[in-house]
Each structure stands twice: as structure tokens, then as C-alpha cells.
């Protein structure tokens, strides 16, 4: 459950010339940042291209973020918050059995990559592939986000053991780790093939490998 947040007051300094206030312009920058970074990554994303696409002057950008690195970090945090809500919605859906919740997440993800023409991937996975050009703080943040995703799946898989979908002695932590390691690779292959088949094939393999009674 999320709570409504009041919009922050405009900071002093040069505002954007797009008719939006501080909070709206910052949100617009983050949304456009997610779109571009999930499509092409950090190295191929020029700050000028981000700003021109939404009509924010470069001088105004520094009114919102002190550097491109700060912008990338804020964009990553915004994406992580969105994705955590998405996982909570799927994994916390009590109307479905635990493994069906996971299957619903996979189906939703497959439809998502298809909807975007396989141009957009996972921002965390994209940035992880560019780890050699990222600073240490961002690398650690990526690992922290992935650990949070694993934690959420651990709970879902533990529910699966409780209702008998998995063996009682299933190592839910190891299974959750294996899922996300393989899932990120499956998304990459899906983008290369322009098909959700690699994502579906990985999930079928994951399900078949699960310890049952």
C-alpha cells in the first residue's frame, strides 16, 4: 500500500521552461530517463537527448540533479520503487496459489516486452551489463535492488511450500537467487531474438526443476 506524497516546493534557481512546476518536471525527467535507459543503457544515453526530448534546457537540468550520475541514480531508484510495487502486487495476490502468482508475473513481463517491441529491457539488468563504467555506489545499489527482489520471491516460494506446491525442505533462498539470475539473462535473449520465447523457456525450465513432493 502506498501513501500520497505532497509535491515538493520549487527550489530556488533557474526553473524549466516547459510550464511545469519543480515536482512535475523532475518526475518527467525520471520517467523519460527510465524510458531511455531501459532502451539503450547509460553509455548510449546522452543527457542532451533526454533534455531535448522533453523540452528542458540543460541549464535547468542542474536545478534538479547535480550530475548525470545523480540523475541515473535517481532514475534507478524510481524504477526500483515501481518494480517493487509490481512484484508486491503479483506475489501478494492471495486470489492465486503461490506458483500461479509467479506465473502471472512472468506472463505480465512477456506481454510488457512484446508491447514495447522488445526495445525496452530491465533497467537493473541493463545497468548491470555496464558495470565497468558505473561508480561503486551504483554497483552496490544494483546489488541491493536485486537482493530485494530475491527477498520478495523467497516469501512467495515459502508460501508455496506451506500449501504443498513445493517440497517442505525446498531451499527457497537458493531458488529465488537462481530465478533472478536466469530471468535477467532470459530478458536479454528475448530482446536479441525479438521474441518472448526465451523468457517462457526459462520459466518452464525453472518450474520443472523445482523440488516437489
Amino acid at each position: 500500500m502506498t501513501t500520497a506524497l505532497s509535491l515538493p516546493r520549487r527550489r530556488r534557481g533557474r526553473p524549466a521552461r516547459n510550464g511545469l512546476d519543480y515536482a512535475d518536471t523532475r518526475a518527467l525527467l525520471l520517467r523519460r530517463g527510465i524510458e531511455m535507459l531501459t532502451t539503450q543503457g547509460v553509455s548510449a544515453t546522452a543527457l542532451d537527448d533526454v533534455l531535448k526530448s522533453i523540452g528542458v534546457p540543460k541549464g535547468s537540468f542542474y536545478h534538479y540533479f547535480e550530475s548525470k550520475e545523480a540523475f541515473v541514480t535517481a532514475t534507478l531508484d524510481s524504477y526500483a520503487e515501481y518494480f517493487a510495487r509490481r512484484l508486491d502486487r503479483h506475489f501478494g495476490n492471495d486470489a492465486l496459489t503461490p506458483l500461479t502468482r509467479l506465473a502471472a508475473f512472468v506472463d505480465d513481463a512477456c506481454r510488457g516486452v512484446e508491447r514495447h517491441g522488445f526495445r525496452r529491457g530491465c533497467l537493473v539488468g541493463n545497468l548491470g551489463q555496464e558495470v565497468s563504467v558505473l561508480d561503486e555506489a551504483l554497483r552496490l545499489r544494483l546489488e541491493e535492488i536485486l537482493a530485494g527482489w530475491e527477498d520478495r520471491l523467497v516469501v512467495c516460494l515459502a508460501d508455496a511450500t506451506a500449501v504443498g506446491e513445493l517440497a517442505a525442505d525446498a531451499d527457497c533462498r537458493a531458488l529465488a537467487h537462481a530465478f533472478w539470475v536466469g530471468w535477467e539473462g532470459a530478458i536479454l535473449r528475448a530482446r536479441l531474438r525479438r521474441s518472448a520465447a526465451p523468457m517462457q523457456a526459462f520459466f518452464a525450465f525453472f518450474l520443472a526443476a523445482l523440488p516437489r513432493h
Side-chain angles (χ1 to χ4, degrees):
M1 180 176 179
T2 58
T3 56
L5 298 176
S6 60
L7 297 179
R9 296 180 179 179
R10 181 190 293 278
R11 294 179 180 175
R12 293 182 179 181
R14 184 182 179 187
R17 295 187 301 225
N18 55 10
L20 301 175
D21 64 15
Y22 170 80
D24 289 339
T25 301
R26 187 177 188 278
L28 183 61
L29 282 164
L30 292 176
R31 186 162 61 249
R32 186 58 177 145
I34 289 174
E35 292 171 357
M36 296 187 73
L37 292 174
T38 54
T39 300
Q40 58 197 37
V42 173
S43 299
T45 299
L47 188 55
D48 285 344
D49 291 340
V50 175
L51 301 179
K52 288 177 183 177
S53 69
I54 56 176
V56 175
K58 193 168 186 177
S60 296
F61 171 83
Y62 296 103
H63 179 64
Y64 306 101
F65 304 100
E66 63 182 18
S67 64
K68 180 181 178 180
E69 290 73 20
F71 171 63
V72 171
T73 299
T75 300
L76 175 61
D77 286 342
S78 180
Y79 178 86
E81 291 172 5
Y82 148 76
F83 200 80
R85 291 193 299 270
R86 183 175 169 185
L87 291 179
D88 290 342
R89 184 176 69 251
H90 281 294
F91 295 167
N93 184 2
D94 292 334
L96 302 175
T97 64
L99 291 185
T100 307
R101 298 172 204 167
L102 180 56
F105 162 75
V106 169
D107 288 343
D108 185 40
C110 289
R111 289 193 299 270
V113 294
E114 290 172 341
R115 184 169 61 251
H116 293 292
F118 300 97
R119 295 185 306 275
R120 294 173 63 176
C122 170
L123 180 55
V124 172
N126 284 7
L127 294 181
Q129 293 174 54
E130 299 185 271
V131 67
S132 62
V133 299
L134 304 178
D135 64 33
E136 182 67 4
L138 196 54
R139 182 189 70 80
L140 292 174
R141 177 65 179 128
L142 288 168
E143 184 61 25
E144 179 183 32
I145 291 168
L146 286 167
W149 296 356
E150 289 182 12
D151 289 343
R152 286 171 165 81
L153 184 52
V154 166
V155 174
C156 184
L157 294 176
D159 288 345
T161 65
V163 299
E165 287 187 307
L166 291 181
D169 60 351
D171 188 340
C172 296
R173 175 65 59 183
L175 291 171
H177 178 72
F179 175 85
W180 288 113
V181 170
W183 183 246
E184 290 299 329
I187 293 174
L188 172 62
R189 189 66 182 274
R191 295 181 69 194
L192 290 173
R193 289 189 57 183
R194 296 290 190 267
S195 167
M199 298 163 69
Q200 295 161 346
F202 165 73
F203 186 55
F205 178 81
F206 179 80
L207 286 179
L210 289 175
R212 312 280 184 160
H213 289 288

